[in-house]
Amino acid sequence: MPTDPVVVCEVPDGLGLIEVTGNDGASLLLIGGRPAQLEGSDCCGSIGWLASRATGQDAPTPAEAKALTAWLAAPELAADPLTGNVPPPDPERLRPLLSLLAPGRYAMTAATAPHPLRLVHSRSGHIESWYADEELALLTTDHWPPPDRDAVRAYVRRIRAGARPALVALSPAEDALTAYLLDGHHKLEAYRQAGIQPLIIRLTPIDPAPFRLQDCEPVHEVFPGEPLIRMFHYIREGHMA
């Protein structure tokens, strides 16, 4: 299988609104320093919504978020006819979203999902957060199924006509079989209805952040349940920082 090309994204001045901690066994997505999504495997949204939660003069403007959303709808990222690789975009294209991440260096790839994705999403305020080690699990961060049916139908028509809109996902570590869907819920549903594998721009911290013990209490408040007991028991045993 050809290796996806990688572009390193420098984020020295990130606002820290979005951060992912953990590794390929389990991870936590924090928004504004608060737990927003938690996942773990048995083997061990949207841009506008995210940007609206940022504060300060460096926060992305609505116009910047809208421009990025429009570009992701038609990014024209074509696969190399010889290798099948999809070249990642210029990081500046994603700057409104990158500025929301925790400071650090991120590897960026672009690729068509090689097989059907396993979707993991919130149900009645609880997170389906523990699953077997299998295919890539994509964790939704917004309403599922997505509410705007007209938008989904429009994307379905475009995809069937040959367009390939891009999803953006954030993984906790290079070898992780999970990724948090930051943007593309309506596009993902359209790909599913069209029966075509989605194009995913994937961001991964080059230096993964371990779980922090100070996050344990708020995690238990937001996500009570047996999977967390197992996860943090694992942490206390010293397998994670």
Side-chain angles (χ1 to χ4, degrees):
M1 175 182 289
T3 301
D4 296 331
V6 176
V7 168
V8 175
C9 309
E10 298 284 352
V11 188
D13 53 354
L15 298 176
L17 178 71
I18 306 170
E19 186 176 9
V20 62
T21 65
N23 58 19
D24 59 333
S27 63
L28 172 68
L29 179 71
L30 298 106
I31 306 293
R34 297 288 296 174
Q37 187 80 298
L38 178 70
E39 63 81 26
S41 63
D42 287 339
C43 66
C44 343
S46 298
I47 295 172
W49 172 78
L50 292 168
S52 69
R53 302 180 69 159
T55 58
Q57 62 180 6
D58 295 327
T61 66
E64 290 172 331
K66 183 177 180 180
L68 176 55
T69 299
W71 180 80
L72 288 170
E76 298 181 355
L77 297 176
D80 186 294
L82 297 179
T83 66
N85 293 334
V86 179
D90 184 335
E92 287 304 313
R93 283 285 194 180
L94 271 67
R95 188 55 54 185
L97 180 58
L98 293 175
S99 69
L100 300 176
L101 297 175
R105 302 171 71 217
Y106 294 79
M108 178 171 60
T109 61
T112 299
H115 48 67
L117 301 170
R118 176 184 176 90
L119 290 186
V120 183
H121 54 274
S122 174
R123 293 178 178 172
S124 301
H126 296 281
I127 301 299
E128 179 188 332
S129 56
W130 211 264
Y131 42 84
D133 179 15
E134 20 181 277
E135 70 275 11
L136 175 66
L138 196 60
L139 287 83
T140 59
T141 60
D142 205 344
H143 297 292
W144 191 267
D148 191 340
R149 297 181 181 180
D150 289 340
V152 172
R153 284 193 287 266
Y155 277 124
V156 169
R157 290 193 295 269
R158 296 178 60 182
I159 290 170
R160 287 175 174 166
R164 292 296 178 264
L167 317 181
V168 181
L170 177 65
S171 282
E174 180 181 2
D175 297 331
L177 292 177
T178 57
Y180 295 92
L181 183 60
L182 298 183
D183 179 75
H185 293 76
H186 290 85
K187 289 175 280 190
L188 175 59
E189 176 60 16
Y191 271 116
R192 284 162 55 87
Q193 292 186 17
I196 295 175
Q197 293 299 95
L199 172 63
I200 303 177
I201 297 174
R202 194 168 174 181
L203 299 165
T204 306
I206 291 178
D207 298 309
F211 278 116
R212 296 181 295 252
L213 291 180
Q214 64 264 33
D215 292 329
C216 291
E217 183 175 347
V219 164
H220 277 280
E221 293 175 357
V222 177
F223 304 118
E226 183 268 344
L228 296 182
I229 296 175
R230 294 168 59 188
M231 184 177 297
F232 286 111
H233 176 70
Y234 188 73
I235 294 173
R236 287 193 296 270
E237 288 178 345
H239 295 284
M240 298 180 186

